[in-house]
Amino acid sequence: MKKFSKIFATILALCSLATGAFALAACEKEPEEQTGPVSELRGTFTFNDSIGETGDASKFLTVTNDQTRVDEAGQRSWLYGSYSPFSVAYDWDNQFNLATPHHDAAQAAQNRRVPVMNYRINQQLRLNRDFTYSYVCSVIISNPCQWGSEIGRMEASVRGTFTSAAQTGTAHAVTLSDPTGGSLELYGISSGGAGDGYYWQWRVHETPDVVQNYDYADCFDGYKESEVYQYVAGRVVTVDTENNSLSDDLFDPYLFDLMAKYGTY
C-alpha cells in the first residue's frame, strides 16, 4: 500500500511539473497579431542636405537684413536677420571674395567680406503599421570656414498619426497629424562678446532657449501659435519606397532670425 502511494505521489508531481511548464510556455508565447487595419506603407524614410557649404560662389549662403532679397522665389542664397549684431554679419577675411552674387556695397566700402553660412538638414521619418509616426529632425546653422563653428540649432523629435495615398511610381503622399507627443528645442546664438557683427566669434548656446513639449500640448491653448510650431505642424510630405527617401523641405531663411532673437552678447 505504501509503495502504491509513493508511485501515485510521483505521478502527481510529474503532472504538476508538466502543467507548470505548459503554463510558462503559454505566458512566454508571442503576443497576438495586431487587430484592426494595418498600414501597407511603413518603414523609415530619410533626407539630409547641406546648403551653402560649397566652393561654388554661385551657391553661397549668407546673411542679409534686406527682406526683399529673401523673398525672391526659389532662392537659397540668403538667411534673414533683423536682430543686431547678427543682422550685420561680416567677416574680415576668408577664402572667398566679394565678386559673387552676394556682393554688398556697404560691406565693400568698409573693406568687409560677407560671411559664408551653412544650413544643414537631417530628417528621419518612421511610419509604423498601426498608422503612427515618429519624426526626428534637426537644422544646424554654422560657419563652414576654417576655424568656424556651429552658430544655432533646432532639434525636434515628435510623434503622431498619419494617412497615406499612392502617387506616381513608388512615391506616396503622407499626411502627418499635428504632433501628439515629443518635443522641440531651439538653441540661440552667442556673439562671443563682439557687438559689431564679426561672425567668427559666434557660438551656439549650450542650453536650449525654447523648449516645446508636445506631450502636454492638448492641455493648453495657443501652442499652435508658438514661433517654433511650424517646423513640426501637421502637413503633407512625400516618401519614396524605392530609395526610402523623404521630401519635406525644412529650409527656412527666417529660422536664423529666430535663433538671433534669443541671441546674447
Side-chain angles (χ1 to χ4, degrees):
M1 188 67 177
K2 288 182 180 181
K3 185 176 180 181
F4 176 77
S5 298
K6 288 182 178 179
I7 294 173
F8 181 76
T10 300
I11 294 173
L12 191 62
L14 290 172
C15 289
S16 298
L17 286 172
T19 303
F22 177 80
L24 183 62
C27 290
E28 291 181 347
K29 72 176 183 179
E30 293 186 2
E32 297 290 335
E33 289 292 327
Q34 175 184 328
T35 59
V38 173
S39 174
E40 294 184 4
L41 178 64
R42 51 186 184 266
T44 300
F45 304 88
T46 61
F47 178 79
N48 302 285
D49 197 11
S50 182
I51 302 167
E53 188 175 12
T54 174
D56 184 348
S58 66
K59 296 180 180 179
F60 281 171
L61 176 66
T62 190
V63 177
T64 182
N65 54 18
D66 182 352
Q67 198 164 3
T68 61
R69 287 174 168 172
V70 175
D71 290 339
E72 292 182 13
Q75 281 210 37
R76 291 177 178 247
S77 298
W78 304 97
L79 297 176
Y80 177 69
S82 64
Y83 297 95
S84 181
F86 308 107
S87 58
V88 291
Y90 77 93
D91 179 17
W92 282 119
D93 190 25
N94 57 35
Q95 67 266 43
F96 310 116
N97 59 55
L98 287 173
T100 72
H102 304 89
H103 177 83
D104 187 306
Q107 288 183 319
Q110 299 180 59
N111 193 28
R112 294 181 173 187
R113 301 187 182 212
V114 296
V116 180
M117 310 292 283
N118 177 231
Y119 189 107
R120 190 165 72 250
I121 302 171
N122 294 286
Q123 299 164 272
Q124 183 182 84
L125 174 66
R126 178 166 181 77
L127 304 178
N128 303 311
R129 60 186 290 122
D130 61 354
F131 295 96
T132 61
Y133 75 81
S134 59
Y135 195 4
V136 179
C137 58
S138 69
V139 174
I140 297 174
I141 297 177
S142 63
N143 171 355
C145 302
Q146 187 179 17
W147 308 114
S149 64
E150 185 176 323
I151 291 172
R153 186 180 350 136
M154 186 273 291
E155 296 179 340
S157 178
V158 295
R159 57 187 178 275
T161 58
F162 75 92
T163 59
S164 65
Q167 294 183 311
T168 305
T170 54
H172 298 260
V174 178
T175 302
L176 304 177
S177 74
D178 289 334
T180 58
S183 64
L184 182 149
E185 295 181 343
L186 180 79
Y187 294 74
I189 309 169
S190 169
S191 71
D196 58 355
Y198 182 48
Y199 94 133
W200 279 89
Q201 300 185 65
W202 293 0
R203 299 290 185 272
V204 66
H205 286 168
E206 293 183 357
T207 57
D209 297 278
V210 177
V211 179
Q212 175 67 72
N213 189 339
Y214 296 106
D215 290 337
Y216 308 101
D218 58 349
C219 298
F220 56 88
D221 296 326
Y223 77 95
K224 291 186 177 181
E225 284 72 45
S226 68
E227 54 200 356
V228 295
Y229 185 68
Q230 61 177 306
Y231 302 108
V232 294
R235 57 193 179 277
V236 179
V237 304
T238 301
V239 302
D240 193 320
T241 55
E242 182 177 13
N243 53 15
N244 291 334
S245 64
L246 166 68
S247 178
D248 180 25
D249 193 3
L250 286 185
F251 180 76
D252 178 12
Y254 295 96
L255 179 58
F256 173 79
D257 197 46
L258 183 55
M259 294 170 177
K261 177 180 179 180
Y262 297 94
T264 54
Y265 317 107

